[in-house]
Amino acid sequence: MKNGFPFYKINHILLLLLLLHFKHLFHGKSSDPDPVVDYLTSPLDAIINGTFFTFTGLRSAFTDFPSNFKPTKATFSEFPALLSQSVSMAILQYPAGSINPPHSHPRSAELLLVVSGSLQVGFVDTANQFFNQTLQVGDLFLFPKGLVHFQLNVDPRNSATAIATFASANPGTVALPSSTVFTSGISDEVLAEAFKTDVAVIQSIRAGLTPPKS
């Protein structure tokens, strides 16, 4: 067109707006929404000072060790300043022989850092392929978002501790019904084939899920 705005540029603009619309839709479904202010407060009249941005709820993880696996979380439920910040973390404590049972986080990947002891970890992808590794102090392991995973302390005498970080203020946790998967009588061989691993790994998971004798 000779006058006015060129038609091909209008097409380009419409295409760009469409792409931005789909990007917004997918982004909104796959991660926390971008904040439009520096931080959010709840209640809105909360006093904002250094205390608001400080969380002391992890102190117990450095002074007390539990008798069973224990996650000590810092999500926005425990630490309101995290709301809209797309970040959270947890201290994970594993007594000897304990397990963090199979579960998933629907809103975030998990980056795990081992800070004491050693852990056997693994996850299953959507092609039912099993990935596992034995981690030592200083090792990092990535659990992709939404995939079922676990961590297991196979050491019968020594405890282990790890730090988990998430790209969401509330990553969520969906627990697998482990009682119907690993403790229902399904043979070790069948589970090993299903999870694409060996019988020894399945037996270790079963042992970690078995309640200690009183």
Side-chain angles (χ1 to χ4, degrees):
M1 56 188 298
K2 295 182 179 179
N3 298 315
F5 202 79
F7 182 74
Y8 74 90
K9 289 190 176 182
I10 294 177
N11 283 342
H12 287 180
I13 291 175
L14 290 175
L15 178 60
L16 178 60
L17 290 174
L18 183 64
L19 290 174
L20 288 174
H21 174 68
F22 277 107
K23 178 182 178 182
H24 170 73
L25 288 178
F26 286 117
H27 179 74
K29 292 179 181 297
S30 63
S31 62
D32 292 353
D34 290 333
V36 294
V37 294
D38 292 341
Y39 48 85
L40 296 178
T41 63
S42 180
L44 296 178
D45 59 350
I47 297 175
I48 303 302
N49 54 29
T51 300
F52 177 77
F53 298 100
T54 303
F55 181 66
T56 61
L58 298 179
R59 290 180 180 179
S60 62
F62 293 90
T63 57
D64 303 315
F65 211 91
S67 56
N68 297 306
F69 167 75
K70 180 183 178 183
T72 304
K73 301 178 181 180
T75 71
F76 85 81
S77 295
E78 298 83 16
F79 187 13
L82 295 181
L83 185 60
S84 82
Q85 298 301 318
S86 300
V87 64
S88 60
M89 68 178 298
I91 304 295
L92 308 178
Q93 296 171 289
Y94 312 80
S98 66
I99 186 174
N100 184 3
H103 62 282
S104 65
H105 304 293
R107 290 183 285 273
S108 176
E110 175 181 348
L111 190 60
L112 188 81
L113 170 65
V114 178
V115 295
S116 71
S118 64
L119 292 172
Q120 186 175 66
V121 303
F123 70 88
V124 181
D125 68 10
T126 55
N128 203 34
Q129 185 174 0
F130 180 65
F131 299 87
N132 70 315
Q133 187 65 269
T134 299
L135 305 179
Q136 307 296 333
V137 172
D139 291 347
L140 281 170
F141 193 84
L142 174 68
F143 301 105
K145 180 170 65 176
L147 298 186
V148 173
H149 59 280
F150 70 92
Q151 302 108 30
L152 174 67
N153 180 8
V154 297
D155 193 319
R157 291 186 295 270
N158 299 308
S159 62
T161 302
I163 298 174
T165 56
F166 304 93
S168 171
N170 182 24
T173 299
V174 178
L176 231 64
S178 56
S179 60
T180 61
V181 177
F182 291 98
T183 61
S184 63
I186 301 174
S187 72
D188 293 344
E189 290 76 16
V190 170
L191 288 174
E193 178 64 25
F195 283 89
K196 301 297 186 292
T197 186
D198 55 51
V199 171
V201 172
I202 298 300
Q203 291 175 340
S204 296
I205 294 174
R206 283 192 193 276
L209 291 172
T210 302
K213 295 182 179 180
S214 56

